[in-house]
Each structure stands twice: as C-alpha cells, then as structure tokens.
Amino acid sequence: MSPGRSRPAKVIFACVHGAGRSQMAAAFFNVLSEPGLARALAAGTRPADRVHPEVVQAMNESGIDLAHVRPELLTAELAEGAALLVTMGCGEECPVVPGARREDWPLQDPRGSDLKDVRVVRDEVRRRVSELIQREGWGNRSLVVP
C-alpha cells in the first residue's frame, strides 16, 4: 500500500456455518470489487468443516472454485476493523461486530438443497453483492462474472 492511501474496507459475510451463503457472497464480492477499495471474507458462528458440496458445484458453474476453502469462526480478531457486516439468515445467532455497519440478507440456506435451488440462492447472492458494490462505490468495472 502506498503512503497516503487508506486500507481497503473490510466486509464480512456471516452465516451460522460459514459454508454456503457467506462463502458465495465473499467470493463474488472479491471478484467484482476493486481490491484496493474493499475486500470480503466469510465466517460463521459455528463453522462447518468444509463448504457445502452443492455450493461448490454451483459456484464452479460461475467460474469460482471453493473446493479448497475452509469456513472460519467469526472471532473478534477476524472482525477487527470491519466496515460492514452482512448477516445471512442466522436469526438469533447473528453476530454483532462493534463499529461495523450491519445489513441482514434473509436468504435460504442452500445446505442439502438440490442444485436447481442452490443456483437460485447463488444468483440472488450475486445480485445482492453486485448492488452492494455499486451502492458503496467499490466496483471493478473491468471484470464480468458469467
């Protein structure tokens, strides 16, 4: 980072297991946003051992490989300095990150769903991420995700 430039905004996408919706959102965000302006990560309040296989398959169709991604626990250290926390249908387990703005996206959990339904969730996540990036001015106009 060059002198005089601030750090990119940190965006956290959080759901219970950190293995579906939040992973899709963080992946789309990091492809569509300008890296010098904002970066995203996914986390869960009770992280799973791996990204749900049906989510990996649906994201592969969009050209994004999540097969080797491991869900992370949302900790105070991980959340430190976050500008925005987007929770995704975690109900009573939704975390709070002091100092971060918060949005809630009530999206269906894709875990265990058939691929057709996971695609619907994936496409809704991509739409919401694109709108968020545009609204906040974090876009990378040179990239297009299929």
Side-chain angles (χ1 to χ4, degrees):
M1 182 137 327
S2 62
R5 286 198 59 195
S6 62
R7 298 187 112 147
K10 182 192 286 188
V11 177
I12 300 172
F13 292 97
C15 56
V16 175
H17 298 114
R21 298 161 287 190
S22 62
Q23 293 293 342
M24 289 189 276
F28 281 131
F29 188 96
N30 288 330
V31 167
L32 296 171
S33 66
E34 177 59 48
L37 299 176
R39 298 310 295 154
L41 56 94
T45 55
R46 289 187 287 129
D49 294 331
R50 62 188 174 127
V51 175
H52 305 311
E54 55 276 13
V55 170
V56 171
Q57 186 176 355
M59 290 301 285
N60 278 339
E61 294 175 354
S62 291
I64 298 173
D65 183 10
L66 296 179
H68 301 291
V69 173
R70 296 292 166 250
E72 292 188 63
L73 177 64
L74 181 58
T75 63
E77 293 79 24
L78 189 73
E80 187 176 343
L84 177 64
L85 169 68
V86 179
T87 56
M88 306 178 125
C90 49
E92 294 297 314
E93 294 187 50
C94 282
V96 173
V97 173
R101 288 180 296 136
R102 181 170 170 215
E103 289 185 25
D104 184 59
W105 296 354
L107 298 165
Q108 176 186 340
D109 186 350
R111 184 172 126 201
S113 298
D114 66 35
L115 189 55
K116 179 180 142 226
D117 292 335
V118 177
R119 287 178 184 129
V120 171
V121 175
R122 177 200 62 202
D123 294 347
E124 178 63 12
V125 167
R126 178 174 33 206
R127 183 189 70 74
R128 287 174 182 248
V129 165
S130 295
E131 287 177 359
L132 170 66
I133 290 169
Q134 182 176 16
R135 182 179 78 228
E136 297 293 331
W138 292 330
N140 184 341
R141 290 163 183 73
S142 65
L143 294 175
V144 176
V145 176

